[in-house]
Amino acid sequence: MRSRLFPILMVLSLAIVLGACGSKNNNADGGVKTITYESQTGPVEVPADPQRVVVLSSYAGDVLSLGVNLVGVDSWSKMNPRFEEKLKDVAEVSDQNLEKIIELKPDLIIGLDNVKNIEKLKEIAPTVVYTYGKVDYLTQHLEIGKALNKEKEAQAWVDDFKSRAAKIGEDIKAKIGEGKTVSVIESFDKQLYVFGDHWGRGTEILYQAMGLPMPAKVAEMTTKDGYYAISAEVVADYMGDYVIFSKNPDADNSFQKTDTYKNTPAAKAGHVFEVNAKEFYFNDALTLDFQLETFKKQFLG
């Protein structure tokens, strides 16, 4: 009896060992260590040390600032002149081209919650999505830091940025005077836009970090959506004492040649500061650093 049972016990033992190994590998995604990230849509198992990240939104600069490797980014990030060198070997991807994403073999995908094919993306790699504006811009960087298992590094950047922005903000207010208003205006295609306090283009820095006021008309019209489309004919009504003009070189900027614009107090005083819109769109960590240094030079000289 014992001689007959021995082979059976051996097979059962081997099955248990193999089963345990298989279970361990499945839980750790084939031997890759994972952490559980508590995302806004629930817990997501993500790699503890991501090596091949795809970003389908405006967060490429956050990932780059934390020293994590990108293999694919959205078209808007790819066209940013300041990211050109860093992203030269990174593919341009979209939520529509799943085959291309599969070829990149990502171990993590990050995007906004309005990306298409979300369920199919989840099948390719762990996918984390965010609702734009659900949390403030600094908390957003922290959340991406958590998803990348770089929370300490993200927190260190946030603390340092807040300190730098507060100091520069105080210096600016001391120079231009308390109560001076600032507008952020952008040209895009044949339209002009003004922005509220959380829509990139440096708005978070000027209005939130530095506490500079926007013109009442801008505050009123951007309350609902965060931005507001205006015509060139009424641009003077939305220009503050100082203006950050986020200028698209390929847009219609002819309004700058009109008397309506030239006769505004900001234009006459030389208080319109131009920036390249393609460098200024986002509010990721790298762009925020660039925006802050830009404002320091423009306002303080």
Side-chain angles (χ1 to χ4, degrees):
M1 176 69 72
R2 287 179 64 188
S3 62
R4 270 188 253 157
L5 279 175
F6 186 74
I8 296 172
L9 290 172
M10 283 292 289
V11 170
L12 285 172
S13 298
L14 186 60
I16 291 168
V17 171
L18 289 173
C21 290
S23 174
K24 183 178 179 183
N25 284 341
N26 287 338
N27 289 340
D29 194 22
V32 175
K33 288 184 179 179
T34 62
I35 59 169
T36 301
Y37 171 59
E38 294 296 336
S39 78
Q40 66 177 50
T41 57
V44 182
E45 288 292 314
V46 297
D49 184 22
Q51 299 293 312
R52 301 182 62 80
V53 179
V54 163
V55 170
L56 295 172
S57 57
S58 57
Y59 304 123
D62 292 302
V63 177
L64 287 169
S65 76
L66 294 168
V68 176
N69 185 54
L70 284 165
V71 293
V73 295
D74 60 292
S75 61
W76 289 82
S77 297
K78 193 73 172 171
M79 77 167 74
N80 186 333
R82 293 197 57 78
F83 292 173
E84 187 174 358
E85 183 62 27
K86 293 181 175 68
L87 299 179
K88 65 179 180 180
D89 298 321
V90 178
E92 182 181 316
V93 294
S94 78
D95 51 10
Q96 304 277 36
N97 196 338
L98 297 177
E99 288 184 8
K100 192 167 185 178
I101 295 176
I102 291 170
E103 288 173 7
L104 295 173
K105 299 178 181 177
D107 53 11
L108 179 64
I109 299 170
I110 296 174
L112 290 170
D113 63 351
N114 62 356
V115 294
K116 296 178 175 63
N117 298 309
I118 183 71
E119 294 306 319
K120 291 179 180 176
L121 289 169
K122 289 178 182 178
E123 293 174 10
I124 298 171
T127 301
V128 173
V129 294
Y130 300 99
T131 302
Y132 185 83
K134 185 179 177 71
V135 297
D136 69 81
Y137 68 114
L138 296 178
T139 302
Q140 182 63 71
H141 182 67
L142 275 177
E143 284 302 314
I144 292 170
K146 291 176 185 177
L148 298 171
N149 200 21
K150 297 270 189 179
E151 185 177 1
K152 287 182 180 178
E153 293 88 337
Q155 184 66 61
W157 178 86
V158 167
D159 293 342
D160 179 58
F161 179 82
K162 286 168 72 174
S163 174
R164 286 182 286 130
K167 173 66 170 66
I168 295 170
E170 289 305 313
D171 291 344
I172 289 173
K173 281 184 276 192
K175 180 174 180 181
I176 69 175
E178 290 285 343
K180 294 293 185 183
T181 58
V182 182
S183 301
V184 179
I185 298 175
E186 183 173 279
S187 58
F188 187 82
D189 199 11
K190 296 180 180 180
Q191 189 72 59
L192 293 175
Y193 295 88
V194 289
F195 298 92
D197 68 356
H198 65 282
W199 216 259
R201 287 88 176 166
T203 57
E204 291 86 0
I205 298 174
L206 296 168
Y207 302 133
Q208 294 187 46
M210 295 180 176
L212 295 169
M214 65 181 77
K217 187 87 170 173
V218 173
E220 176 191 353
M221 302 311 289
T222 59
T223 298
K224 181 184 176 186
D225 297 322
Y227 63 92
Y228 185 68
I230 62 173
S231 66
E233 290 74 25
V234 300
V235 68
D237 298 339
Y238 294 87
M239 290 176 67
D241 298 303
Y242 289 81
V243 175
I244 305 300
F245 178 34
S246 180
K247 187 175 184 177
N248 259 302
D250 47 5
D252 181 3
N253 297 301
S254 59
F255 77 96
Q256 288 184 292
K257 298 175 183 176
T258 65
D259 289 338
T260 302
Y261 168 79
K262 289 178 180 178
N263 289 326
T264 59
K268 288 168 80 172
H271 290 169
V272 178
F273 302 139
E274 291 189 7
V275 296
N276 183 340
K278 289 178 170 59
E279 298 177 334
F280 245 65
Y281 285 134
F282 301 139
N283 53 16
D284 60 85
L286 286 186
T287 301
L288 286 163
D289 279 335
F290 172 62
Q291 290 166 346
L292 183 59
E293 285 305 305
T294 300
F295 295 150
K296 181 180 178 181
K297 292 173 187 173
Q298 288 173 331
F299 282 97
L300 302 176

